[in-house]
Amino acid sequence: MSVAHLHGLATALPPHELPQDIVLERARALLGPKYPQFERMAKTFATSGVKSRYSVVPLEWFTQEHGWSERNERYLEGAGAMFIDAASKALADAGWSADEVDCIVSVSSTGIATPTLEAVAARQMGFRDDVMRVPLFGLGCAGGVSGLAVAQSLCVARPGAKVLLVVVEACSLSFRSDRLQKADIIAAVLFGDGAAAACLSSNPPLHRPAIAFSAGSQHNWPDTLDIMGWDVDDTGLGVVFDRSIPEFVTTHFEAVANDALRVSGLSPDDIDRFVCHPGGAKVVEALEGALHLPQGVLQAERDTLRAAGNMSAPTVLFVLKAVLDAGTTGQMMVCALGPGFTAAFIPLNVSLPKLALVA
């Protein structure tokens, strides 16, 4: 089976930390007078599993009104900086220079950049003039896994090519105090900003664990467009985040996960670790139930959510890095849910390098 090997993996966070207790205090001041049900929903700040997250703008920015143009300008600045930070760290981890990269897959859904982020960053990064650019938009929380699947396919299609995947989101810029919808309060509870990058090639790396991705897959459920996504108006992006998601996962996720395993030539018994996008505390619990895992086993997912919130697409790569840094080996399946409503999967096998024979 053709695989893509992981050579480098890195994450990046923007500079402004937003502790959850401070966010609650500020949200109460901004939303409480406008939204009669705010206090009833305020308990979700404590039960969300989020202790802190990070933003491309300081907390004071959220006390003022902002239109689409200003929000997107901040996106270009903040997402661009995180792109360079994450990409530079991943290249250093791989031992690659930017001018060695043959293809860049960029994933983002929280702003509009045309030219896209990898083109904006090209001169500062030092990418070649003939580097292939593959920007992906609209995948939302599934973007990290889907981006890995696209990067894996490119590695297989172009043997020996060095592919850089960069996933970056600035969710905080879509905070809305004008729509007064429950989804906006849940967004204020859960979402933060972050970026992650990975270096992949069909050639295995030397002197490090063999981390190999096989072909990914997706499943799109019909008639579910209203579960997750964006509403777009003159003020900016408005989150669509249906409260039915945990129940939907409990009811539907097992079947599509088993289908993804079967397509990959695997069974549930073959999986040593599911690596999941932690959409929220209830979603993590629902994933454990749907996959018949012991409650609490997805600890890296909970730790990531607690430390940085739901960053949308890059979050699962934060979880993956934590799992790999812990020395976890074996057969894994990386998975996430996103707009569509879509489940994305990619198999991952991690094995220790063979010890060199001593004469």
Side-chain angles (χ1 to χ4, degrees):
M1 181 182 296
S2 298
V3 298
H5 296 274
L6 183 68
H7 288 248
L9 179 64
T11 59
L13 292 166
H16 303 287
E17 184 176 5
L18 306 181
Q20 187 77 315
D21 56 344
I22 303 299
V23 173
L24 171 58
E25 178 184 311
R26 190 60 56 93
R28 178 175 281 119
L30 291 173
L31 301 177
K34 300 179 181 180
Y35 193 76
Q37 294 180 301
F38 178 81
E39 286 303 325
R40 184 175 64 83
M41 296 187 66
K43 62 182 181 181
T44 59
F45 283 86
T47 61
S48 64
V50 178
K51 183 178 180 181
S52 190
R53 48 261 170 77
Y54 295 79
S55 172
V56 297
V57 292
L59 190 61
E60 293 72 23
W61 186 87
F62 300 101
T63 64
Q64 303 170 3
E65 297 296 326
H66 305 282
W68 169 249
S69 178
E70 184 182 351
R71 292 175 191 270
N72 203 62
E73 183 178 349
R74 290 301 186 107
Y75 166 81
L76 292 172
E77 295 172 356
M82 286 192 291
F83 182 105
I84 292 171
D85 190 7
S88 299
K89 290 176 180 176
L91 290 171
D93 187 43
W96 296 0
S97 62
D99 61 2
E100 293 179 89
V101 174
D102 300 298
C103 180
I104 307 166
V105 179
S106 301
V107 180
S108 190
S109 300
T110 45
I112 302 296
T114 305
T116 44
L117 294 174
E118 75 287 340
V120 174
R123 177 168 293 185
Q124 184 171 343
M125 288 294 304
F127 297 133
R128 296 198 316 267
D129 294 342
D130 65 346
V131 68
M132 177 184 288
R133 296 165 47 213
V134 185
L136 304 176
F137 177 84
L139 296 169
C141 293
V145 176
S146 296
L148 281 170
V150 171
Q152 188 273 346
S153 296
L154 289 166
C155 289
V156 172
R158 303 180 66 187
K162 293 183 176 180
V163 178
L164 172 66
L165 168 70
V166 186
V167 187
V168 56
E169 301 289 11
C171 304
S172 68
L173 297 175
S174 298
F175 171 77
R176 301 284 292 266
S177 62
D178 59 312
R179 300 196 316 164
L180 303 182
Q181 297 182 13
K182 290 182 179 180
D184 295 301
I185 293 181
I186 298 303
V189 169
L190 287 176
F191 287 101
D193 305 343
C199 298
L200 297 95
S201 172
S202 62
N203 295 331
L206 301 175
H207 311 304
R208 63 186 303 166
I211 305 172
F213 291 98
S214 303
S217 61
Q218 289 184 347
H219 178 89
N220 299 320
W221 285 278
D223 304 317
T224 57
L225 296 178
D226 58 348
I227 288 183
M228 185 184 292
W230 292 124
D231 288 328
V232 184
D233 58 27
D234 292 341
T235 301
L237 302 174
V239 67
V240 177
F241 196 71
D242 196 270
R243 62 183 297 179
S244 68
I245 292 173
E247 181 181 352
F248 192 97
V249 171
T250 298
T251 304
H252 299 288
F253 192 73
E254 180 184 7
V256 299
N258 287 338
D259 286 343
L261 290 168
R262 186 163 48 252
V263 167
S264 302
L266 299 167
S267 73
D269 291 339
D270 295 322
I271 302 303
D272 298 299
R273 177 65 155 91
F274 283 94
V275 179
C276 304
H277 167 70
K282 291 183 179 180
V283 174
V284 177
E285 291 178 4
L287 286 167
E288 288 174 337
L291 296 171
H292 303 288
L293 303 174
Q295 286 294 306
V297 73
L298 297 180
Q299 190 58 47
E301 286 79 353
R302 288 182 170 87
D303 290 345
T304 298
L305 187 67
R306 183 179 300 108
N310 182 345
M311 298 164 279
S312 190
T315 316
V316 72
L317 295 176
F318 278 69
V319 176
L320 177 60
K321 187 174 187 302
V323 169
L324 295 177
D325 286 350
T328 309
T329 59
Q331 182 63 55
M332 306 184 200
M333 178 65 88
V334 188
C335 49
L337 293 158
F341 193 50
T342 298
F345 302 89
I346 188 167
L348 170 65
N349 187 274
V350 181
S351 58
L352 295 174
K354 294 180 181 179
L355 296 175
L357 295 177
V358 179

